Amino acid sequence: MNTRMFGSTGRTLGEVGLGTWQLGAGWGNVSEETALATLRTAFEAGTTLFDTADVYGMGRAEKLIGRFLRETPAARGKIYIATKLGRFSPPGWPANFTRDGIRQHTEASLRRLGVDALDLTQLHCVPFDVLKQGEVFEHLRELKREGKIRDFGASVESMEEADFCVRTEGVAALQIIFSIFRQKPIRTLFTEAKQRKVALLIRLPLASGLLAGKFTRATTFPANDHRNFNRDGQQFNVGETFAGLPFEKGVELADALKPMVPAGMTMSDFALRWCLDFDAVSVIIPGARNPEQALANARVSGLPRLSTALHAHLVDFYTRDVAAHIRGPY
């Protein structure tokens, strides 16, 4: 797998990481055996960054990664773990953003992962008002001085939040939603992030599966899959589900993209390769529910760049047909 420098951290990482929300909860049921096999397959394919969060399965995803590290000596010291805090309960909001709350969640993640220090802790889509007050960043700086965390960053919902965080002292990484259906960061964030050497983690590059091109208007999801219970933002930010697009519109737009997919690529390949073509991107973190998906994601690193003409066409497509339909903070 091709590698990229991860911002100013000094780490060089595989450009295709693994998101583990699917292995925790919220995407239907994934057995422990399948989850561990998925982690192993991703690592063997060259993935060196696992993105997780304390709230994924209320600690389940972190525990699975911790078990994987214990059972896979070859991965120790090679896997960079990017976790998140701020949405776990107890204590819940707003106590999660206090010094005691942040320390409590950090210690819990350390125990579940079985590590001495967290590679990267990210504030997990906390309210913008909290970010602007600044205390949460000082609490993270303190933990870094103590050696509990090596670096810190933020996972954000809007480009306004991203612009604030990228200019905040000590922020090493930002996690953003970015895909063919969410192109705003190109013009609002990428230049500043590169200048400041802030790593960019790209979540939801397949728009919750829309950009795999396999859904129809009649597609249904399990009751415990967020694509069922949050498709219109009933539980959390609507932008986290189908890129903020109404499901039926998303299916229509995905179908319109299919003729643009280059020969020899699947639609998933096409969507992931598009993200990797931007040098501001540090690591993409598509999720996987099984080893086959993890392997398919990793293979995209070896695919050729898309043509300049195709990139221009996709900008026009987004501007003309997609942007007006996006809901939620953006």
Side-chain angles (χ1 to χ4, degrees):
M1 181 184 293
N2 294 320
T3 60
R4 302 188 184 197
M5 182 63 67
F6 196 68
S8 60
T9 66
R11 293 289 297 266
T12 301
L13 302 173
E15 63 186 4
V16 181
L18 178 70
T20 64
W21 184 8
Q22 285 88 336
L23 307 184
W27 294 75
N29 297 323
V30 177
S31 71
E32 188 165 316
E33 179 182 30
T34 297
L36 290 166
T38 301
L39 294 169
R40 282 196 302 273
T41 298
F43 171 65
E44 291 167 1
T47 290
T48 52
L49 184 146
F50 291 165
D51 179 78
T52 191
D54 56 5
V55 77
Y56 291 169
M58 303 306 287
R60 182 179 193 248
E62 287 186 331
K63 288 177 182 177
L64 286 166
I65 293 171
R67 178 178 167 184
F68 165 78
L69 293 175
R70 291 194 304 273
E71 296 178 355
T72 314
R76 297 171 195 164
K78 296 180 180 179
I79 294 294
Y80 185 92
I81 301 171
T83 192
K84 310 182 200 72
L85 58 80
R87 304 189 73 87
F88 199 99
S89 184
W93 291 15
N96 280 349
F97 314 133
T98 64
R99 179 178 183 271
D100 287 346
I102 287 175
R103 297 182 77 85
Q104 173 183 325
H105 293 313
T106 298
E107 294 289 354
S109 289
L110 288 167
R111 289 192 299 271
R112 286 189 290 262
L113 290 164
V115 296
D116 296 327
L118 302 178
D119 292 321
L120 179 70
T121 295
Q122 303 159 92
L123 298 170
H124 197 175
C125 300
V126 307
F128 194 16
D129 286 346
V130 174
L131 296 177
K132 288 187 288 188
Q133 290 166 10
E135 286 88 349
V136 286
F137 293 108
E138 186 52 45
H139 302 328
L140 294 174
R141 294 184 191 106
E142 182 181 23
L143 287 168
K144 182 175 180 178
R145 290 193 294 270
E146 293 176 5
K148 298 285 187 180
I149 62 176
R150 295 188 175 94
D151 284 296
F152 63 85
S155 178
V156 298
E157 295 173 347
S158 73
M159 288 302 97
E160 184 181 12
E161 293 166 345
D163 183 68
F164 176 83
C165 291
V166 79
R167 300 170 190 275
T168 297
E169 179 188 352
V171 167
L174 279 178
Q175 185 173 142
I176 59 170
I177 304 172
F178 181 60
S179 72
I180 291 172
F181 287 161
R182 301 270 293 204
Q183 298 188 26
K184 188 176 179 180
I186 298 170
R187 59 182 174 81
T188 62
L189 177 65
F190 280 8
T191 298
E192 195 70 29
K194 286 195 296 183
Q195 289 177 348
R196 294 178 180 272
K197 295 184 179 180
V198 173
L200 293 183
L201 277 165
I202 303 305
R203 73 179 185 275
L204 299 168
L206 295 178
S208 307
L210 278 176
L211 287 168
K214 297 179 180 179
F215 298 157
T216 70
R217 289 172 177 266
T219 299
T220 60
F221 303 95
N224 62 344
D225 189 316
H226 78 102
R227 293 172 293 184
N228 174 49
F229 63 76
N230 193 63
R231 66 170 59 199
D232 293 311
Q234 300 96 318
Q235 299 295 321
F236 44 84
N237 173 26
V238 68
E240 307 289 342
T241 308
F242 303 130
L245 296 168
F247 178 67
E248 293 77 9
K249 174 56 71 172
V251 170
E252 174 189 325
L253 293 168
D255 286 343
L257 285 170
K258 290 177 180 178
M260 305 180 204
V261 177
M265 287 189 185
T266 67
M267 191 161 169
S268 293
D269 293 340
F270 165 61
L272 296 178
R273 183 64 253 176
W274 179 87
C275 293
L276 288 174
D277 282 356
F278 294 91
D279 62 2
V281 169
S282 302
V283 181
I284 61 172
I285 48 172
R289 299 184 72 252
N290 55 59
E292 293 75 23
Q293 290 178 352
L295 185 58
N297 292 340
R299 285 175 175 163
V300 172
S301 178
L303 295 176
R305 293 176 57 88
L306 305 180
S307 71
T308 300
L310 181 52
H311 270 284
H313 190 48
L314 289 168
V315 170
D316 290 341
F317 171 78
Y318 164 79
T319 303
R320 182 186 65 245
D321 298 326
V322 181
H325 299 285
I326 297 173
R327 302 168 296 173
Y330 185 34

